[in-house]
């Protein structure tokens, strides 16, 4: 089938197009070159004057797996209040569901595609829970997915480091685990800290030796960053640093940047890691210092983890941090789990209030970071869904970035002491459409190594979103005119009109088989499960469709 | 004769992955596994009747599917229960439930809801089986010995020395229950029983919490146990809520979670609530991600509604006019009485009286076809493989055909909406 989108303004920064008027052609599930005057398209959409972008990509959103499902269980009141009927439109059925902060699977897919997002990545998949995460991802319609494997608190890795097994052994282990769990990237969460908590340490600083193994978070971080680099994974090590949420943690975050010493690193939800201790309340913004450090470190990329006001739930593998947050739970209930000698999970419901000084400042710090970071190719739009806010707040967040007057009006509504402790009011920058297209399309695809996503050149996946260029940016990004997934029109005027299924993206760096013997012994002796049952087969991914593989290119650290 | 090593067992929820299976022309049989459930349930004959039955008479699969679709489409109060099947089977049951407005529940959800009720109103602090095995220096077993429902719990997860404890020592204390003889044999000298005189579990747990708060009377046997919990490096409190007798079992669970939180404030302590046979955990997980709610959820006009009391299958059975009962793991039925019609999806070995309106034989996940099941600690999902082809379809396969039949009759209505 040949489709023509006629006369739109193309925002396709990966191919140097920043609003030029051009037709866009789709053949079946791919973007195709203009077939020339003789061609007759099967369908023509007149999109004259409209904004045409690739489907948006969310690089960090907790959408699937054990902690999300536990959060759904804990958020019963919210689910009771927000229940949705299924829709029988299209030739397949999208199921009903419930929830805002922890939407059920079909609801997750529906909410994303309605906003023009065609991919979202689960950033915290535990190896032991990977099969569960994949089962959930297979049940999310419309969008592409993939998982980042959580390493860095697993007893096996800490033992490799403590016994000086060497970088090559670590690399093989990381590669084996990525393969066995069908993951796309490696994430480290509070390096060593979750493990230390199991030995009853309640805090672990970057250069503090952890219990039992005597390994510091800095070592874990650098060993993993190096493994990811040498294995040639497209996505750099995805880092959730130490001391999340603790006033003064910006110092740790700056040290963490130093620790990477030139190795590529992606620092996630940095808003939660940008707190200083100035002022009477000993809580202030560290955004300026952090933004400056990121700006001058081209090997770094970041996402923000913006806080927006309202009820949500925080779900994280960082049991250590979540235990600190637990007394602030709203409603007053929370849960924590230690998991399979690998990591853990903590779920704490939370309500961010604009009349709370701390929450207001968190909101402002996130925006400061967005606006002070000058390279949109290295900063990503996230709320760390659902930890800072549900992903459905993205249109509002985009308006805050693109519209200074709107931003100042919102700032004026906050806790009266907050504006004095942030530079937000004095920042004049407004994101352009081209920058939004970079931050939500081109850059995420590039940082994840998804060569045929996030742009509109011939050969790209025909994931396309068409918006009306409204001055009200929130309204614009909330309700695209048209959304195509793999060439199929699935959303028209903000409503679902047909069903589609995305795919699951993975990497598979090779490894030396020798490591498998060591892992097998560990699984037999410690985990109590033959590794063949741990390994996830291709046929298990997306009901037998299998994963989409992305190449890795081995490198050596200079 | 073929030997299959390291086969995954899908039955009780402990996820043993080391079962040896012999296969010959007559069928499959397990090598003795030390587990009565696996030894019995892995024994399957190669030749079984694969016919569906309508009112006791053999019919073709096509006719059976058409009849199931007819019964379900005309039902005003359908119930889908049993739900003992792999994750795919559960998901297809949820799709069907949404399509016809049924409620869903699992045969063994009682134990699950005793724990879930506490999770949903209070939260929990728990751990998983590998942490128990490698980290715990003190195991506190509350209530009846869980080995009654989880036969190899001690052998696989507590007999091996805890790798991350400096001296590898571990004690196991029973509170409000006695170790079974097999447990006593396995754990021997590690076992102690605290018996502060006859009292129900709720009272025992409250007594231990009082002692932890430092308010127990002098000489109270709980004082010593409280001190042990406080001194342990990583205590794990294990219970199988399904085995609890006595009133308000969820209050016992809540007391335990509060107790764990108290201890965990200074040293490490975590719970291990066990409920898991026949993939009840997987059924609940799938319900959670598909609907946003646990089991005991129904669909009214396609909108999910959860009601842990009203949608308990035992209660719904009273007013359901059609019940689709799914029992793919074992050819056994619980006590069952309904005035409505019953459609049964079960292994052909199932003996049932009275004969249901419709019987459709299905295979067992992990024997007749591959399928995913969740472990009792709720984190680990396992993919059980296929061992033998006896021509039996999966639950997901049968329900998929029922859905297709339903959609055929509804096509006109559905496309008109678009
Ligand atoms: S203990 Fe449970 S999982 Fe293990 S063999 Fe027995 S029934 Fe199967």
């Amino acid at each position: 089938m040949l489709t023509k989108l006629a006369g739109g303004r193309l925002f396709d920064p990966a191919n140097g197009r920043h609003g030029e008027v051009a037709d866009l052609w789709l053949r079946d599930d791919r973007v195709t070159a203009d077939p020339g005057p003789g061609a007759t398209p099967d369908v023509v959409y007149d999109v004259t004057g409209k904004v045409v972008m690739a489907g948006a990509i969310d690089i960090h959103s907790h959408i699937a797996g054990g902690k999300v499902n536990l959060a759904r269980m804990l958020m019963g009141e919210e689910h009771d209040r927000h229940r949705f009927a299924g829709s029988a439109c299209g030739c397949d059925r999208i199921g009903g569901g419930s929830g805002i902060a922890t939407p059920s699977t079909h609801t997750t897919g529906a909410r994303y595609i309605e906003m023009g997002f065609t991919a979202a990545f689960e950033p915290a998949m535990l190896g032991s829970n990977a099969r569960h995460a994949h089962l959930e991802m297979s049940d999310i319609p419309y969008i592409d997915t993939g998982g980042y494997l959580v390493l860095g608190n697993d007893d096996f890795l800490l033992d490799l480091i403590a016994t000086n097994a060497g970088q090559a052994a670590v690399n093989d282990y990381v590669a084996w685990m990525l393969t066995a769990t069908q993951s796309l990237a490696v994430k480290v969460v509070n390096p060593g800290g979750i493990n230390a908590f199991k030995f009853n340490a309640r805090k672990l600083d970057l250069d503090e030796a952890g219990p039992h193994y005597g390994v510091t978070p800095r070592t874990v971080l650098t060993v993993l960053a190096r493994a990811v680099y040498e294995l040639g994974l497209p996505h750099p090590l995805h880092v959730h640093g130490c001391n999340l949420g603790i006033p003064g943690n910006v110092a740790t975050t700056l040290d963490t940047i130093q620790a990477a010493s030139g190795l590529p690193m992606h620092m996630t939800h940095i808003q939660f890691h940008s707190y200083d201790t100035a002022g009477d309340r000993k809580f202030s913004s560290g955004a300026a210092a952090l933004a400056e450090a990121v700006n001058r470190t081209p090997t770094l990329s970041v996402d923000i983890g913006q806080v927006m006001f309202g009820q949500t739930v925080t779900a994280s593998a960082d049991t250590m941090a979540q235990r600190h947050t637990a007394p602030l739970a709203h409603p007053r209930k929370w849960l924590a789990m230690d998991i399979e000698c690998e990591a853990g999970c903590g779920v704490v419901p939370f309500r961010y209030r604009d009349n709370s000084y701390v929450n207001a400042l968190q909101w402002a710090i996130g925006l400061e970071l967005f606006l002070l970071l000058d390279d949109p190719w290295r900063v990503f739009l996230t709320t760390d869904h659902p930890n800072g806010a549900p992903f459905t707040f993205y249109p509002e967040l985009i308006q805050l970035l693109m519209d200074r007057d709107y931003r100042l009006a919102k700032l004026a509504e906050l806790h009266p002491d907050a504006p004095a402790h942030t530079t937000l009011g004095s920042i004049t920058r407004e994101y352009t459409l081209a920058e939004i297209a970079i931050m939500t399309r081109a850059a995420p695809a590039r940082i994840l190594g998804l060569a045929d996503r996030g742009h509109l050149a011939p050969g790209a996946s025909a994931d396309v979103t068409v918006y009306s260029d409204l001055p009200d940016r929130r309204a614009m990004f909330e309700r695209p005119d048209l959304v195509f997934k793999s060439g199929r029109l699935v959303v028209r005027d903000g409503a679902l009109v047909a069903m589609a299924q995305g795919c699951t993206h993975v990497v598979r760096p090779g490894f030396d088989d020798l490591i498998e013997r060591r892992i097998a012994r560990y699984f037999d002796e410690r985990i109590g499960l033959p590794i063949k049952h741990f390994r996830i087969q291709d046929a298990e991914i997306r009901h037998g469709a299998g994963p989409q593989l992305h190449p890795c290119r081995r490198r050596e650290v200079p | 004769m073929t030997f299959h090593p390291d086969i995954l067992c899908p039955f009780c929820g402990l996820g043993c992955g080391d079962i040896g299976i012999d296969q010959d022309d007559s069928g499959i049989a397990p090598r003795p596994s030390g587990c009565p459930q696996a030894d019995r349930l892995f024994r399957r004959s190669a030749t079984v009747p694969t016919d569906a039955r309508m009112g006791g008479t053999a019919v073709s699969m096509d006719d059976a599917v058409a009849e199931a679709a007819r019964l379900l489409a005309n039902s005003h109060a359908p119930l889908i229960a049993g739900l003992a099947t792999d994750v795919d089977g559960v998901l297809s049951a949820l799709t069907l439930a949404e399509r016809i407005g049924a409620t869903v529940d699992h045969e063994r959800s009682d134990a699950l809801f005793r724990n879930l009720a506490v999770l949903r109103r209070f939260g929990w602090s728990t751990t998983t089986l590998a942490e128990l095995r490698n980290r715990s220096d003190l195991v506190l077993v509350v209530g009846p010995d869980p080995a009654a429902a989880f036969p190899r719990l001690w052998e696989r997860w507590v007999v091996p020395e805890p790798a991350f404890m400096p001296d590898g020592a571990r004690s196991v204390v029973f509170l409000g229950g006695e170790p079974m003889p097999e447990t006593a044999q396995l754990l021997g000298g590690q076992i102690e029983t605290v018996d502060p005189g006859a009292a129900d579990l709720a009272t025992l747990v409250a007594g231990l919490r009082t002692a932890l708060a430092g308010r127990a009377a002098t000489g109270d046997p709980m004082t010593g146990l409280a001190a042990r919990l406080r001194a342990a490096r990583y205590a794990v409190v294990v219970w199988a809520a399904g085995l609890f007798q006595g009133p308000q079992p969820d209050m016992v669970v809540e007391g335990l979670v509060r107790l764990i939180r108290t201890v965990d404030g200074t040293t490490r302590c975590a719970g291990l609530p066990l409920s898991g046979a026949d993939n009840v955990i997987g059924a609940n997980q799938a319900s959670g991600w598909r609907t946003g709610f646990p089991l005991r959820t129904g669909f009214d006009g396609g909108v999910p509604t959860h009601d842990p009391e009203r949608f308990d299958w035992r209660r719904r059975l009273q007013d359901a006019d059609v019940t689709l009962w799914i029992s793919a793991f074992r050819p056994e039925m619980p006590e069952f009485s309904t005035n409505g019609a019953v459609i049964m999806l079960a292994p052909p070995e199932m003996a049932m009286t009275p004969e249901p309106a419709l019987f459709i034989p299905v295979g067992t996940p992990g024997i007749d076809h591959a399928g995913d099941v969740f472990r009792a600690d709720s984190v680990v999902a396992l993919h059980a493989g296929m061992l033998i082809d006896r021509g039996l379809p999966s639950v997901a396969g049968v329900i998929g055909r029922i859905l297709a039949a339903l959609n055929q009759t509804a096509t006109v209505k559905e496309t008109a909406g678009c």
Side-chain angles (χ1 to χ4, degrees):
Chain A
M1 173 149 127
L2 188 62
T3 304
K4 179 183 181 185
L5 305 183
R9 292 163 58 213
L10 265 50
F11 286 86
D12 180 20
N15 299 299
R17 293 186 285 195
H18 304 293
E20 288 84 338
V21 174
D23 297 338
L24 182 69
W25 293 79
L26 314 177
R27 189 184 295 284
D28 302 327
D29 63 346
R30 297 279 137 183
V31 176
T32 190
D34 187 333
T40 29
D42 298 287
V43 205
V44 180
Y45 297 93
D46 179 4
V47 295
T48 309
K50 300 206 186 276
V51 170
V52 179
M53 296 187 188
I57 299 171
D58 190 345
I59 69 158
H60 189 107
S61 177
H62 299 279
I63 49 172
K67 67 186 176 316
V68 180
N69 228 17
L70 280 167
R72 292 183 185 115
M73 296 290 141
L74 202 60
M75 297 288 281
E77 296 85 356
E78 187 199 87
H79 284 261
D80 274 332
R81 273 197 301 275
H82 301 280
R83 297 179 292 128
F84 314 108
S87 125
C89 269
C91 52
D92 210 338
R93 237 186 125 82
I94 169 137
S98 62
I100 304 276
T102 49
S104 49
T105 44
H106 285 203
T107 306
T108 299
R111 292 298 96 85
Y112 263 118
I113 200 78
E114 285 161 358
M115 299 192 308
F117 278 72
T118 50
F121 293 88
E122 166 53 53
M125 192 160 84
L126 305 192
S128 57
N129 191 245
R131 182 170 278 115
H132 174 175
H134 281 294
L135 284 166
E136 278 201 42
M137 288 193 275
S138 301
D139 205 43
I140 299 176
Y142 296 115
I143 57 171
D144 289 357
T145 57
Y148 310 162
L149 175 68
V150 173
L151 292 174
N153 286 286
D154 34 336
D155 288 285
F156 189 89
L157 176 71
L158 293 173
D159 188 62
L160 283 182
I161 297 174
T163 57
N164 295 314
Q167 186 71 40
V170 170
N171 296 1
D172 286 334
Y173 166 65
V174 171
W176 188 91
M177 283 292 286
L178 284 165
T179 306
T181 59
Q182 304 270 8
S183 301
L184 177 64
V186 180
K187 182 193 197 191
V188 63
V189 179
N190 187 355
I194 303 168
N195 186 278
F197 179 55
K198 293 178 185 174
F199 293 98
N200 204 29
R202 307 277 160 154
K203 187 171 181 305
L204 191 69
D205 271 323
L206 189 61
D207 288 308
E208 196 177 339
H212 195 73
Y213 299 100
V215 173
T216 65
R218 182 189 296 269
T219 304
V220 175
L221 198 69
T222 47
V223 164
L224 276 176
R226 186 161 171 195
V228 167
Y229 183 81
E230 291 185 347
L231 291 169
L233 303 192
H235 190 49
L237 181 63
H238 198 91
V239 179
H240 157 150
C242 315
N243 295 336
L244 177 140
I246 294 174
N249 64 9
V250 68
T252 313
T253 310
L254 293 168
D255 284 349
T256 306
I257 293 176
Q258 288 291 317
S261 53
L263 282 170
M265 201 161 73
H266 177 86
M267 300 184 71
T268 189
H269 43 66
I270 55 167
Q271 179 277 129
F272 290 110
H273 303 267
S274 303
Y275 305 148
D276 214 335
T277 51
D280 296 347
R281 292 182 170 84
K282 302 268 178 275
F283 183 78
S284 61
S285 171
L290 183 56
E292 204 219 322
V294 175
N295 282 340
R296 70 177 136 75
T297 315
T299 46
L300 272 188
S301 57
V302 300
D303 68 83
I304 303 299
Q306 176 67 31
V307 157
M308 302 293 266
F309 303 114
Q311 176 70 53
T312 191
V313 57
T314 64
S316 171
D318 193 345
T319 42
M320 188 184 251
Q322 289 295 65
R323 287 297 298 272
H324 289 298
T325 313
L328 304 173
H330 177 95
R332 297 187 63 82
K333 50 183 176 180
W334 54 275
L335 62 87
M337 285 188 86
D338 295 326
I339 295 177
E340 290 297 277
C341 303
E342 259 197 319
C345 131
V347 181
V348 183
F350 202 84
R351 206 172 102 210
Y352 294 101
R353 289 168 300 135
D354 57 4
N355 59 5
S356 137
Y357 172 77
V358 170
N359 298 164
L361 208 57
Q362 288 180 301
W363 177 89
I365 290 169
L367 293 176
E368 278 183 302
L369 288 164
F370 270 115
L371 296 162
L372 296 173
L373 291 163
D374 50 26
D375 181 1
W377 285 94
R378 294 197 284 125
V379 52
F380 301 94
L381 187 83
T382 68
T383 54
D384 186 18
H385 163 85
N387 294 333
F391 63 79
T392 42
F393 275 93
Y394 287 156
E396 157 108 19
L397 178 52
I398 291 174
Q399 183 167 15
L400 287 165
L401 299 178
M402 295 190 74
D403 183 341
R404 178 165 188 243
D405 291 343
Y406 180 74
R407 194 159 69 221
L408 290 178
K410 287 285 160 193
L411 183 62
E413 291 170 11
L414 305 188
H415 186 283
D417 294 351
H421 290 88
T422 158
T423 58
L424 186 60
S426 65
I427 305 177
T428 54
R429 180 174 174 197
E430 291 183 332
Y431 270 68
T432 63
L433 277 177
E435 286 176 325
I436 294 292
I438 293 170
M439 184 164 67
T440 58
R441 276 80 176 167
R446 190 173 83 172
I447 200 84
L448 293 174
L450 311 176
D452 63 352
R453 300 292 197 271
H455 68 92
L456 297 172
S461 178
D463 300 348
V464 185
T465 305
V466 178
Y467 305 98
S468 293
D469 190 357
L470 307 175
D472 179 343
R473 297 305 189 186
R474 174 178 166 164
M476 169 178 173
F477 283 96
E478 231 162 35
R479 203 164 180 277
D481 299 50
L482 305 170
V483 183
F484 297 84
K485 176 66 188 133
S486 303
R488 187 168 190 190
L489 179 70
V490 289
V491 174
R492 186 194 275 276
D493 299 328
L496 299 168
V497 293
M499 182 59 140
Q501 297 294 341
C503 57
T504 294
H505 299 273
V506 308
V507 289
R508 206 163 286 176
F511 50 84
D512 184 329
D513 288 347
L514 275 180
I515 197 70
E516 190 162 293
R517 273 194 251 162
R518 188 164 174 171
I519 298 171
R521 200 168 59 237
Y522 173 80
F523 265 76
D524 288 339
E525 288 173 2
R526 300 276 170 86
I527 304 300
L529 189 72
I531 55 168
K532 75 172 193 185
H533 299 304
F534 180 81
R535 246 191 246 116
I536 300 172
Q537 309 298 325
D538 285 356
E540 295 182 51
I541 302 298
R542 295 229 168 228
H543 306 291
Q548 176 153 345
L549 276 176
H550 295 276
C552 299
R553 281 177 206 88
R554 287 199 176 242
R555 298 171 279 216
E556 270 169 34
V557 175
Chain B
M1 174 89 85
T2 322
F3 177 64
H4 306 279
D6 286 346
I7 292 304
L8 190 93
C9 173
F11 298 113
C12 85
L14 283 186
C16 299
D18 59 352
I19 312 292
I21 304 282
D22 286 314
Q23 178 169 20
D24 61 19
D25 291 345
S26 69
I28 55 168
R31 302 252 170 109
S33 64
C35 171
Q37 291 200 37
D39 288 355
R40 181 164 49 89
L41 293 166
F42 268 115
R43 188 172 298 280
R44 304 283 171 118
S45 163
T47 43
V48 283
T50 54
D51 285 332
R53 302 191 301 269
M54 206 188 296
T57 315
V59 292
S60 73
M61 194 55 130
D62 287 346
D63 288 350
V65 163
E67 174 65 1
R70 193 189 63 80
L71 282 168
L72 292 166
N74 294 330
S75 163
H76 300 292
L79 164 66
I80 301 179
L83 216 59
T85 174
D86 57 347
V87 169
D88 260 0
V90 174
L91 286 172
S92 57
L94 286 163
T95 306
L96 177 62
E98 183 177 343
R99 177 72 182 68
I100 61 172
T103 65
V104 295
D105 193 12
H106 190 285
E107 179 192 338
R108 294 161 188 262
S109 61
D110 260 355
L112 176 80
F113 274 92
R114 289 171 182 186
N115 296 322
L116 264 187
V118 179
L119 165 64
R120 282 168 74 76
R121 70 173 175 253
F122 183 75
W124 69 13
S125 295
T126 59
T127 192
T128 63
L129 289 166
E131 302 284 8
L132 165 69
R133 172 158 156 163
N134 292 296
R135 239 174 266 279
S136 71
D137 52 349
L138 175 62
V139 181
L140 175 62
V141 187
V142 178
D145 187 345
F150 302 94
R152 295 176 66 196
L153 174 67
W154 307 121
E155 172 220 321
R156 295 195 47 228
W157 306 102
V158 175
V159 168
E161 275 195 6
F164 305 131
M165 280 300 144
D167 54 1
R170 162 149 60 207
S171 355
V172 183
V173 178
F174 277 76
L175 175 66
E178 290 288 328
M180 292 165 50
E182 296 86 340
T183 305
Q185 204 180 0
L186 273 169
L187 296 173
Q190 288 175 66
I191 296 191
E192 300 156 55
T193 308
V194 175
D195 183 11
D200 62 47
L201 273 183
T203 313
L204 286 176
V205 173
L208 182 51
R209 291 183 58 211
T210 307
L212 276 166
R215 295 197 308 264
T218 28
D220 188 325
M222 290 298 191
T223 310
L225 181 54
R228 301 261 312 265
L229 282 167
R230 291 236 187 250
R233 288 160 184 266
Y234 194 103
V236 177
V237 183
V238 182
W239 67 90
L243 304 175
F244 288 177
Q245 306 290 330
Q248 291 196 294
D250 61 316
M251 293 313 290
V252 177
V253 175
E254 181 169 328
L256 288 172
V257 177
R258 288 180 184 275
L259 176 157
I260 289 161
R261 291 250 161 110
T262 304
V263 179
D264 199 38
T266 50
T267 180
R268 290 310 318 278
C269 181
L272 189 60
L274 294 168
S275 57
D278 296 354
N279 198 29
V280 62
I281 296 289
N284 191 59
Q285 294 278 22
S287 176
W289 77 62
R290 175 63 72 81
T291 71
F293 297 101
L295 292 167
R296 301 187 180 171
T297 289
F299 294 87
D300 196 358
V303 180
T305 310
H306 172 62
D307 191 326
E309 268 89 51
R310 214 153 49 89
F311 296 160
D312 179 340
W313 67 266
R314 284 182 185 80
R315 232 172 119 177
R316 284 281 293 116
L317 208 50
Q318 306 311 312
D319 55 26
D321 57 354
V322 178
T323 298
L324 175 65
W325 187 266
I326 300 168
S327 177
F329 288 104
R330 50 187 96 210
E332 291 154 24
M333 277 297 292
E335 227 172 282
F336 196 93
S337 97
T338 175
N339 297 319
V342 174
I343 305 168
M344 171 75 55
L345 266 51
E349 296 94 341
M350 172 83 91
M352 199 197 170
T353 42
E355 171 76 16
L358 192 61
F359 179 91
I360 302 180
V362 293
T364 297
I367 291 180
D368 296 286
H369 60 87
D372 298 305
V373 293
F374 273 73
R375 222 167 61 175
D377 56 9
S378 85
V379 169
V380 179
L382 294 162
H383 191 68
M386 173 180 172
L387 284 171
I388 181 171
D389 182 359
R390 303 188 291 168
L392 293 167
S394 67
V395 168
V398 172
I399 293 183
R401 292 186 62 182
I402 295 174
L403 274 164
L406 281 169
N407 286 341
Q408 241 162 36
T409 45
T411 314
V412 182
K413 201 170 79 197
E414 284 205 1
T415 47
C418 297

